[in-house]
Amino acid sequence: MADKEPTLTLDQQIEALKQQLAEQNSIIEGQAEQLKAAEAQGAGALPVVTHEKKRYQVLARKFIHKEVEIDANSLKTDKDLVKALVESGTGILKALD
């Protein structure tokens, strides 16, 4: 005996496909930003980070922020810290865009 799944209306199917497309576009956009950052960074260079679709070159391997030593590579995964640095107008980040 086969289980019957509820049949979606054409409008429901279209809406579901729109949601899938939006999710996929979001993933692609994130990957494109990461690729741009990696290309800008180059091999052995200081990291490039993104915030609100803008890229920023980190200008030092290590620096002090609020009395805490920060390794530039940690900015690649700490989006909250990147946001705080951008909003504070720190000189440790240089806008590339």
Side-chain angles (χ1 to χ4, degrees):
M1 203 179 214
D3 290 334
K4 285 191 173 185
E5 292 187 23
T7 304
L8 298 177
T9 66
L10 186 55
D11 288 338
Q12 289 172 327
Q13 291 174 8
I14 291 171
E15 191 58 37
L17 290 171
K18 285 181 180 179
Q19 288 177 340
Q20 287 177 347
L21 182 59
E23 290 172 9
Q24 291 172 350
N25 284 341
S26 176
I27 291 169
I28 291 169
E29 186 176 296
Q31 290 174 337
E33 287 180 21
Q34 290 174 350
L35 180 59
K36 284 181 185 177
E39 288 172 347
Q41 179 177 339
L46 293 168
V48 173
V49 295
T50 58
H51 175 66
E52 294 184 353
K53 299 183 183 181
K54 293 182 183 177
R55 295 178 301 136
Y56 298 88
Q57 175 74 57
V58 182
L59 300 178
R61 294 225 177 269
K62 291 187 178 186
F63 58 94
I64 304 294
H65 176 69
K66 295 186 178 181
E67 301 181 16
V68 176
E69 184 175 272
I70 307 292
D71 181 83
N73 288 323
S74 69
L75 293 178
K76 292 179 183 179
T77 56
D78 193 343
K79 298 210 181 279
D80 291 334
L81 180 54
V82 172
K83 178 181 177 183
L85 291 170
V86 169
E87 290 176 353
S88 74
T90 182
I92 201 69
L93 299 177
K94 177 184 174 188
L96 297 176
D97 297 324

